[in-house]
Amino acid sequence: MTISTENIRVRIAPSPTGDPHVGTAYIGLINFLYARQHGGKFVLRIEDTDRARFVATSEQMIFDALRWLGIEWDEGPDVGGPFGPYRQSERAAIYREYVEKLLANDTAYRCFCTPEELEAVRRQQMAAKVPPRYPGTCRNLTNDQIQLKLFESTPCTIRMKVPVEGSTTFRDELRGEITFNHNNVDDQVLMKSDGFPTYHLANVVDDHLMQISDVIRAEEWISSTPKHVLLYQFFGWDAPRFWHMPLLRNQDKSKISKRKNPVSLVYYRQAGFLPEAMINFLGLMGGGMPAEINNASEKFTLQEMIEHFNIRNIRLGGPVFDLTKLRWLNGEYLRALTPEAFYAELRKSVLADEYLSAIAALVQTRIETLSEFGNLTGFFFSDNVLPSPEVFLPKKRMLEETLAFAGEQLTVLEAAEWNASAIEAALKQLGEQQGWSVKENFMLLRTILTGSQMSPPLLESMMIFGKARTLDRLRRFIDAQKKLAAQKK
Ligand code: GLU
């Protein structure tokens, strides 16, 4: 099919659940290029209906990270536009209105099953090794039964009524037709008992109301697409075109994960990657870019991508997020800078005034001559802090248990809100649970992060160093030690 170049409207719809993810930038880039090439509009919509996973600072971090990369949107929560609001939490009344339409045309129904009942069914299904599915208990309640439950104020969710027979087929623009048998499509909850929509309902209603022509998203959403296509049918709407992009992968081909790679864009920015290198690298993922088209170099700018990108050239084999390649590319961009521009980059990141002055405040009372500044603060500037076991291993501990505990520290820090008292409390709680004294616990972290048993105050140092780089350092320490241990075996 040739794509009509009229009224192309695309979107990304990130959920603000944490740090901005490299995958969001990758999908954002492809949507952005596609919109620019077709004279269309690129929308940024914030899907913040999952209140349990909501992180207040996340939205602004997403905006900052995308702008840092040069990915600009035409419509969105902060820039407005004719189809707003662009934050789903501000559209609750719209979803209620639309779910009523489905109830009225009998393509959705109220479900009064309690969480306990649903859990019991799920357990049975797991035990019987059948995929978990809603058994349809409330599908055929009579009107009287429903009215009675509502009269008694029994909490309810609203589910879509997936036809029992048959199948749903949709076209993926990169893969061709994909068919899902309705046996395998669950009666998805569309609205939760708190009146908030689920992703599926809000996503379809918004894509329709925002007149999205092409849904370009990661392939992990393929299995949700039959539900979406059914919802379009239930509403009597035309579905957009669907393009599912290959997932970024770790070196071992598993789905990219923070256990194996830093996935936060905040990390790459703070660790001194240039936006030009990062966007170029993302452009190499999956193909479709000038390198393949022109047989030219692998280096290209965003502008060149806009000119040459071809979405149909995307390769479906999972592109590997290869840090070695990214570092090489970044080095190329750094070398191409004039000395003045290079210095300016240093001053914007690892030697920024704000960073230096925060570090200075930490050591003012701890040095006797200014020239000692570097002795105490080297770990803030060096990316190669790898303490030996003599330094990091507590006296009465074995290597294996120590690495396992460091892994627990990593998990706790990942989940922690980044302020000193929250981190301190979370680490102490972990230590208590695992039988590690406060001293052992904090000394281990100190040596891992600073390379030494003597350092400026740990928690304050971590605040300055930042969450993304702290986690990365801890992760690399654990990886490196595990590799060393494996070599010794
Ligand atoms: N909110 C979804 C996400 O976090 C959007 C997926 C989609 O593009 O439909 O990725």
Side-chain angles (χ1 to χ4, degrees), residues 11-17 24 27 31 45-49 53 88 199 203-204 207 215-218 220-221 224-225 228 242 244:
R11 84 317 187 258
I12 52 168
S15 299
T17 54
T24 302
I27 299 294
N31 276 279
R45 181 171 74 224
I46 293 290
E47 297 206 330
D48 57 351
T49 56
R53 295 179 60 222
Q88 289 187 329
Y199 154 72
N203 189 271
V204 165
D207 282 346
V215 166
I216 306 172
R217 62 183 169 195
E220 61 192 322
W221 301 102
S224 297
T225 307
H228 299 178
F242 293 102
H244 290 96

Side-chain angles (χ1 to χ4, degrees), residues 160-232:
M160 66 188 287
K161 209 171 204 175
V162 175
V164 181
E165 309 265 299
S167 59
T168 289
T169 298
F170 61 89
R171 190 179 152 72
D172 176 291
E173 296 297 324
L174 294 176
R175 293 169 176 76
E177 291 200 336
I178 303 182
T179 298
F180 280 82
N181 201 307
H182 290 158
N183 291 335
N184 298 323
V185 184
D186 202 7
D187 279 1
Q188 179 68 48
V189 173
L190 299 176
M191 190 161 276
K192 292 171 272 184
S193 54
D194 61 7
F196 264 95
T198 57
Y199 154 72
H200 305 277
L201 175 69
N203 189 271
V204 165
V205 168
D206 285 351
D207 282 346
H208 174 72
L209 295 179
M210 296 181 182
Q211 297 180 10
I212 298 302
S213 61
D214 295 83
V215 166
I216 306 172
R217 62 183 169 195
E219 67 186 340
E220 61 192 322
W221 301 102
I222 289 181
S223 60
S224 297
T225 307
K227 293 176 188 169
H228 299 178
V229 169
L230 282 170
L231 284 175
Y232 284 103

